[in-house]
Amino acid sequence: MKPMKISEAVVRRLPVYLQVLNDLHMRDVQTVSSQELGNRLDLNPAQIRKDLAYFGDFGRKGIGYDVTYLIEKIKQILKLDQPLNVALVGAGNLGRALCNYNMYLKDNMKITAVFDVHPSMIGTSINGLTVLPMEKLAETIRELRIRIGIITVPAVEAQNVADQFVEAGVDGILNFAPTILRLQDQVRIHYANFTTELMSLAYYLNEEEENDDESDLD
Amino acid sequence: MKPMKISEAVVRRLPVYLQVLNDLHMRDVQTVSSQELGNRLDLNPAQIRKDLAYFGDFGRKGIGYDVTYLIEKIKQILKLDQPLNVALVGAGNLGRALCNYNMYLKDNMKITAVFDVHPSMIGTSINGLTVLPMEKLAETIRELRIRIGIITVPAVEAQNVADQFVEAGVDGILNFAPTILRLQDQVRIHYANFTTELMSLAYYLNEEEENDDESDLD
């Protein structure tokens, strides 16, 4: 089966839909309308219907979407219906925090190996995973068929770690280091940079403050 | 001065431009072309020229953009040319990691207060900041004129913390807990959820693998 082409914006919204749907499912909710999803996600219901219509018409007028069915369908589209192993390099505070998030990566997606360069870290345990030395990276990635590498090392070391990940055969990288990586095109890179999130948030705040000032003058 | 209306997509790219420009500036690079910026950011140079043209025509044909001028201009647009104090609730691994990122939040944006509910955390020091009890949240936010709250508590506690932030007067929240918050409309919420990043990354990986399979059959 040829994979469907879905716009990047929709691909980025699907995991958020999944999160809300999982939450509804845990609370035994069986159907949900686009209106309710819209309220929870601060999205226009029409946008939600449009996004979900990409994958076939599985909402029913007046009844809404079947939560379980929609969960299965979205997992299938994201290809989360098959195991996906993830490795992480950098067992500092951030790396440890992400390993502890493992419980939210339900089902098939899991951090299955953790690496660090610091001798004091190696051999310690994080949420059931033993921190391995970098020398074990390539063989572990091959043995566990790891496809995604997470980088939580300082900015100056990130490119080196990314190169080692690619060399070992991962084809996706999630980079938390505040630096832009240069890699061959076949490797997909996503950035998780909280400073850029904060800065774009700042833009909206200040805008609001100016609006407040204006209304004071009325 | 009325704030310019800039599309959300552009607002989200500006901090990334700023990051690359700061990096060039540190290496004493004085001018940069849209082509070079495009290479570093994996963006079309035409897109970059279009984004930056929002704020006036400050690139010069054949010479490119003046790095220092562009940094100042983007900071001004993001309103990062004035101090912006940030508070964080949840001094676990993730919270500690973010406090240690403070050094990347150059200039005016800084985490200036950290809070936790756990008695064992309160009074400890993270990167120069003393962890305060939640009872101090409201008065600290007012005293330090804090406008953004970062949430790094477990999902079940996030809504409660968000409500306290809003009550205390912040007007922007960056939520790291894997849960959707419900707040009044005046408060801007950004989500930093690494599980959604990983899931959208998975979509692209699997797509690539299928493409590989197809080419094997040729």
Side-chain angles (χ1 to χ4, degrees), chain B:
Chain B
M1 197 184 84
K2 267 230 180 285
M4 283 174 286
K5 280 288 164 212
I6 305 175
S7 82
E8 176 130 9
V10 176
V11 170
R12 290 187 170 274
R13 281 197 289 272
L14 288 182
V16 184
Y17 292 146
L18 192 55
Q19 186 176 12
V20 171
L21 290 164
N22 277 330
D23 181 54
L24 290 169
H25 183 64
M26 279 201 311
R27 296 191 286 107
D28 281 328
V29 176
Q30 263 144 50
T31 55
V32 64
S33 67
S34 54
Q35 184 67 53
E36 285 166 79
L37 282 176
N39 287 344
R40 284 174 154 265
L41 292 166
D42 200 16
L43 271 175
N44 189 318
Q47 179 69 62
I48 290 173
R49 286 193 298 273
K50 196 177 156 212
D51 285 357
L52 298 178
Y54 259 97
F55 326 116
D57 182 25
F58 39 67
R60 277 173 299 167
K61 246 202 157 78
I63 300 175
Y65 298 98
D66 183 292
V67 171
T68 313
Y69 182 72
L70 198 48
I71 289 174
E72 288 312 310
K73 197 75 193 169
I74 293 178
K75 275 191 187 165
Q76 207 180 318
I77 291 156
L78 292 174
K79 310 273 173 69
L80 292 172
D81 54 348
Q82 49 192 279
L84 179 59
N85 288 342
V86 178
L88 181 146
V89 175
N93 282 315
L94 181 57
R96 304 179 90 82
L98 297 183
C99 290
N100 289 324
Y101 263 67
N102 238 348
M103 58 178 169
Y104 295 112
L105 296 176
K106 298 189 215 191
D107 309 311
N108 290 310
M109 197 180 225
K110 280 271 180 304
I111 298 174
T112 46
V114 182
F115 302 86
D116 204 291
V117 287
H118 297 95
S120 63
M121 287 290 184
I122 294 162
T124 63
S125 178
I126 308 172
N127 200 20
L129 294 166
T130 302
V131 179
L132 301 172
M134 287 301 284
E135 295 73 46
K136 292 276 186 190
L137 186 82
E139 83 182 64
T140 309
I141 282 174
R142 276 179 218 117
E143 274 169 16
L144 300 179
R145 297 175 62 89
I146 286 168
R147 301 196 57 204
I148 292 181
I150 299 180
I151 297 178
T152 52
V153 298
V156 289
E157 295 168 29
Q159 182 66 50
N160 177 23
V161 171
D163 291 338
Q164 291 187 60
F165 265 141
V166 173
E167 178 75 24
V170 307
D171 40 22
I173 284 180
L174 180 55
N175 179 30
F176 282 83
T179 189
I180 309 284
L181 301 173
R182 289 159 168 273
L183 296 174
Q184 56 201 67
D185 281 349
Q186 309 85 295
V187 181
R188 174 100 191 173
I189 311 172
H190 282 198
Y191 291 91
N193 186 333
F194 105 108
T195 62
T196 58
E197 276 298 336
L198 266 183
M199 285 177 183
S200 60
L201 188 51
Y203 172 80
Y204 292 103
L205 295 189
N206 285 286
E207 197 174 33
E208 280 157 21
E209 191 170 64
E210 295 206 1
N211 290 341
D212 289 351
D213 289 348
E214 277 168 32
S215 60
D216 286 344
L217 295 173
D218 284 346

Side-chain angles (χ1 to χ4, degrees), chain A residues 24-88:
Chain A
L24 290 170
H25 183 65
M26 280 200 311
R27 295 190 288 108
D28 282 327
V29 177
Q30 263 144 49
T31 54
V32 63
S33 66
S34 55
Q35 184 67 51
E36 284 167 77
L37 282 175
N39 286 346
R40 285 176 153 263
L41 292 165
D42 200 16
L43 272 174
N44 189 319
Q47 178 69 62
I48 290 174
R49 287 193 297 272
K50 195 177 156 210
D51 284 358
L52 298 178
Y54 259 99
F55 327 117
D57 182 24
F58 39 70
R60 277 173 299 165
K61 245 201 159 76
I63 300 176
Y65 298 98
D66 182 292
V67 170
T68 312
Y69 182 73
L70 199 48
I71 288 173
E72 287 315 308
K73 196 76 194 171
I74 292 177
K75 275 191 188 165
Q76 206 180 320
I77 291 156
L78 292 174
K79 311 276 172 67
L80 292 172
D81 53 348
Q82 48 192 280
L84 178 59
N85 287 342
V86 178
L88 181 145

Side-chain angles (χ1 to χ4, degrees), chain A residues 86 88 91-106 109-115 121 123-132, chain B residues 93 194-195:
Chain A
V86 178
L88 181 145
N93 282 316
L94 181 58
R96 304 179 92 82
L98 297 183
C99 291
N100 290 324
Y101 263 67
N102 238 349
M103 59 176 168
Y104 294 112
L105 297 176
K106 301 192 204 146
M109 196 179 227
K110 278 274 179 301
I111 298 174
T112 47
V114 181
F115 303 86
M121 287 289 184
T124 62
S125 177
I126 308 174
N127 199 18
L129 295 166
T130 302
V131 180
L132 302 171
Chain B
N93 282 315
F194 105 108
T195 62

